[in-house]
Amino acid sequence: MSEKGRVKIRSRLRKLLRPAKPRTMTGPNAAAGGTARGSKVELEKVLGITAAGNNALTCNPQNGLLAYPAGCVVVLLNPRKNKEAHIFNSSRKTITTLAFSPDGKYLVTGESGHMPAVRVWDVSDRLQVSALQEHKFGVACVAFSPNGKYIVSVGYEHDMMVNVWNWKKNVVVAANKVSSKVTAVSFSDDSSYFVTAGNRHVKFWYLDHDKTSKGQSTAALQGRPARLKSLMNNVFCDVACGRGRHASSTFCVTSSGQLCVFNERILGKWVELQTSRATCLSVTEDFIFCGCSDGTVRVFSPVSLSFLYPLPRPHSLRTDIDQMRDPSQLFSCTAESQCPDTVAVTCDPANHCLSCVYKDHSVYVWDIRDLNRPGKVYSALHHSSSVWSLEVYTDGAAEGERLLPPGSFLSCSADNTIRLWNGHGALRRNILSNDLKKVIYVDDDISSLPDTNNITNAEKAGPPEGQQTDQIRTGIRALRVSPDGRHLASGDFEGILRIHDLTHMEEIFSFEAHESEILCLEYFKPEKGLQLLATASRDRRIHILDAGRDYTVVQTLQDHSSSINAVRFAANEGKLWLISCGADKNICFYTAQKTREGLLFTLTHSVVSKISLSDMEVDLNRKCAAVGCKDRNIRIFDISNGKEQKSYKGSQGDDGSIIKVHIDPSGLYIATSCSDKNISIFDFFSGECVATMFGHSEIITGLKFSSDCKYLITVSGDSCIFVWRLSPELTVRMRQRLADLKPRSSVPHRQNAPQQRAVKLGNANEEEGGEAGQACPYMETAGCAKETETSVNADGGESTSGGRLIRWPRMEDDSVMVKSMFDLRLEEEEEEEEEEEEVETPPPFNSSLRRRRTVGVEPQFQRNREETQSTLSLQVASGLGGKRSINHFLSSRSLDGEEPVLFPDQWEDRVNLERSLFQQKEAWSSPAAAAAGGREGKPGRPAGDEPLSEEQSSFELEEEEDEEKEGRRPDARDVRHARADPPVSGKRLHGRPRP
């Protein structure tokens, strides 16, 4: 062997024997982006937010990056570019609170569940760098010290612990117990103390730096309560220490609607916010932003608590987002308009932005560069409660008949809405949401639109580990789109079945189909012939309706003894099958026969399993049924005889049970969701696990592959929708198989009807062995149909040898014949370039056209429902394609080049709000302080250098007795300031009468 070869071998041996470098992450898969098997799947978009209060919303002070939780994921949003990055909590516990470090390089999070941890993450790498487990039940709030050395964390009410943590050394330097429920914490500007606020609680905690710097043992944290005086019975829902010139002040808001200031633990004065409830506040050196009920955010001066400006309210509940295309519509809320309450606000002084989260889970970012004329930089609307079902929209019969744009999908929720989402920007833009295209409000009640569980206490953000939150049994439970893409069927928890026409998004049928919640809906519609809809419910019944005859009842099946979780149609070998499974461990196989009375489904055979069955899917060939079972196995059954062919594990975990299963359009892969909140993708034929993901904090209630084989979409009880991008390798394999399954002259496969051929249904009255019954024009869906000889006629159309024209279903993406992964990457690059160009938009949907008919069916189906309203919202969205560096989207420059939506000079919200309506009350500790307290700054000046005369004042100041230091009551002073600015926002607010 030559000397060069020996040197090469030695170098390789040194590399093998060299110890591995230590990694910064501490949990398994902490850097995997929520996936446990390489780069097979990556989270691209999160449609939802689970921030329950101001402690779950934070802004990076260096680059304006907005962070908020969405289940077990932290979303890092650049609002000006509409780009996202994500941090995954590897413990799979719900994130309840978070905060950025002063330099913006690190993010601290708290979580709920058994033995929760306080975790510190590197923002640029999105890796965990440290973790502390000193709490037992959950972390209510966290905060970095301004010097970046310490982190304070406060536990839940039953935890009752306050810990100060030197996070770089991973030691607790000081700790103590708190006797009240704490909802907020804030560090002083010099890091010498911090303040906690909660239920009848405001307390100042002081750090002894001599003891904490040694770090040898945990010191006792010294705390002193604030003197609350007449406000002692209030709930202090948020607290913020002053900054800059006002570092000695501490500001609090109470749930009853007071903004108060403390000077050295002593209550100085407070002002009534003229609102039914206050929830949050954010303090800068120049302004105080107070979030209140009805979407109100008001701006005060930190010098004198004088009212300065109002901020605009968000959209009203039940707004028609399709019509929200002009800024004047957003800025013209009337006094009768009901808006969602503000639950969180955070200010970014460097970029002049104020981010707000509202009770209906909507997010707004306001441009506050000029508070006289603010603007909207970003907004997004989401479901406010558990999402129960998901349906991917597929094409109609032809390209010109497509009713919804490519890539659309629908979701339904406990908030009584059905929402259409699309991120490809094929429709006109609106000013409210980039992804939400339409909203269907099922009823007129707006009480279900805000999150009823969303309160300022972060303790409600997640249940203890291993438990699920009590689901509110209201709203829409199941969805299904007809194969031709024209009708949308939905079922709710009361057993009401509704049919919407997707042409105008209007309800056309509504009746009570079941006595309990509808768990499953399934369409069967061949190209010609019978159009069927099957509904399954918790009442143990299956109704089969004729969709071609105004949804009249064909048959009712009652062979199950418990809830029916899934029902599917299949057509093979000349037979039409109906398969159902339920919680009674029974799988029923029905076949359709033609009788004199019409179509009749009879039970052919049934299989009794040893465990309960959760969900079921039929494979592409319509010959096998894949059933998800409670023992975490997927069992494959032959439809023709009901025998089990094979089974394999449907989850990589050792706990929980399978909730949902779904087969991709090509039939190569099957996706499963488990009650341990994991999502898995398996090879359908071999059972090999391809990818495992996590991120939801509640059970996954639905999952679907997109029709273009690029995405997997999941919905959950945490109200969030996750859009996962599949790797090019998986997409190429699925598209290649779709291309192989099609005749050479056909166009791409459609998800609900891969291929079609005629099916003959036998006549029930004929004797066995007799002649075959008359052919019925029912069509079969089959993935391996026999090839049909086709020819192209003179007009360019396809005709069969039998002379009958066959129309093959079409797909939105015509580029199915992908020869390599390089071709797919080129295709994705072209799509990204097209998204940046201006798209010619079709005319808007005409929501004023309404069609409503009464269904003439059996008596149990004759209860009509009230007519629903529909809204349309059209705009372009952009997301991160693949895993990129966090610096990719930190630039404040917008890729789309969109300017903020600015307010007009005068809008209706600013008309009748007068500063004299905000009444201040002061508590003086001495006559000298009282005399000094009368010198207030100008209302329009944050610093307030010049004193104002009584004629320039527009407030009532009432001095109260401080019984602790003074035995007499000073004379009350009545000081009024003249109004210097034009009138401002909101409803007409009535102050107290002047004494």
Side-chain angles (χ1 to χ4, degrees), residues 236-249:
F236 294 86
C237 50
D238 205 0
V239 61
C241 294
R243 296 291 181 253
R245 299 186 300 269
H246 317 290
S248 61
S249 301

Side-chain angles (χ1 to χ4, degrees), residues 516-789:
S516 185
E517 62 179 298
I518 297 176
L519 297 177
C520 183
L521 298 169
E522 178 71 7
Y523 270 103
F524 174 78
K525 178 190 173 298
E527 185 175 285
K528 294 182 179 179
L530 195 63
Q531 306 175 24
L532 300 177
L533 171 66
T535 66
S537 171
R538 194 178 294 275
D539 63 3
R540 307 182 300 279
R541 293 183 176 89
I542 299 174
H543 294 306
I544 302 174
L545 311 178
D546 190 345
R549 298 180 180 178
D550 292 344
Y551 292 89
T552 56
V553 178
V554 175
Q555 190 178 357
T556 298
L557 305 174
Q558 305 184 56
D559 293 300
H560 285 276
S561 59
S562 185
S563 302
I564 303 171
N565 294 326
V567 58
R568 297 289 183 265
F569 285 107
N572 60 50
E573 298 178 355
K575 294 182 180 180
L576 175 59
W577 295 87
L578 177 69
I579 310 103
S580 62
C581 68
D584 58 356
K585 309 176 184 179
N586 195 14
I587 308 175
C588 297
F589 298 84
Y590 301 88
T591 56
Q593 292 181 331
K594 183 180 179 182
T595 63
R596 296 178 181 178
E597 291 79 12
L599 195 65
L600 178 65
F601 283 87
T602 58
L603 181 63
T604 303
H605 46 268
S606 63
V607 177
V608 180
S609 178
K610 295 181 180 180
I611 38 86
S612 297
L613 312 172
S614 301
D615 197 16
M616 177 178 56
E617 278 289 315
V618 177
D619 75 329
L620 192 66
N621 297 325
R622 308 305 188 207
K623 294 182 179 180
C624 299
V627 182
C629 306
K630 293 292 184 180
D631 60 354
R632 301 182 300 282
N633 283 330
I634 299 175
R635 290 177 168 82
I636 311 297
F637 292 90
D638 191 320
I639 294 177
S640 60
N641 53 28
K643 294 182 179 180
E644 181 179 334
Q645 293 184 343
K646 61 178 178 179
S647 66
Y648 47 82
K649 295 290 291 184
S651 174
Q652 294 297 296
D654 297 328
D655 299 322
S657 58
I658 293 179
I659 303 297
K660 290 291 182 181
V661 297
H662 179 64
I663 300 176
D664 79 278
S666 68
L668 283 178
Y669 302 102
I670 181 170
T672 66
S673 67
C674 191
S675 59
D676 62 0
K677 307 167 191 175
N678 284 334
I679 307 161
S680 303
I681 301 177
F682 295 89
D683 188 294
F684 180 75
F685 299 100
S686 66
E688 178 187 0
C689 184
V690 175
T692 301
M693 301 87 72
F694 66 92
H696 288 288
S697 61
E698 297 287 349
I699 59 172
I700 292 89
T701 56
L703 72 169
K704 297 281 186 180
F705 286 94
S706 62
S707 55
D708 58 4
C709 304
K710 289 184 179 181
Y711 302 97
L712 176 67
I713 308 168
T714 60
V715 298
S716 170
D718 58 11
S719 77
C720 295
I721 301 174
F722 286 3
V723 181
W724 307 84
R725 174 179 282 273
L726 304 177
S727 67
E729 177 187 356
L730 297 180
T731 301
V732 167
R733 287 194 62 191
M734 288 187 283
R735 289 187 171 183
Q736 188 62 50
R737 186 166 194 260
L738 286 173
D740 295 341
L741 290 175
K742 298 182 186 311
R744 186 174 303 175
S745 58
S746 70
V747 295
H749 161 81
R750 181 159 55 90
Q751 183 178 358
N752 284 351
Q755 293 184 9
Q756 316 245 353
R757 69 168 180 262
V759 178
K760 295 182 179 180
L761 296 182
N763 194 315
N765 298 326
E766 294 182 0
E767 298 179 357
E768 295 182 2
E771 297 181 359
Q774 184 179 0
C776 213
Y778 303 146
M779 304 299 294
E780 174 193 6
T781 303
C784 297
K786 297 179 181 178
E787 295 186 2
T788 306
E789 297 181 3

Side-chain angles (χ1 to χ4, degrees), residues 432-452:
L432 290 183
S433 178
N434 294 328
D435 304 287
L436 184 61
K437 304 306 175 185
K438 303 181 184 70
V439 178
I440 300 175
Y441 300 97
V442 173
D443 55 27
D444 296 330
D445 186 15
I446 63 173
S447 61
S448 60
L449 296 178
D451 186 0
T452 56

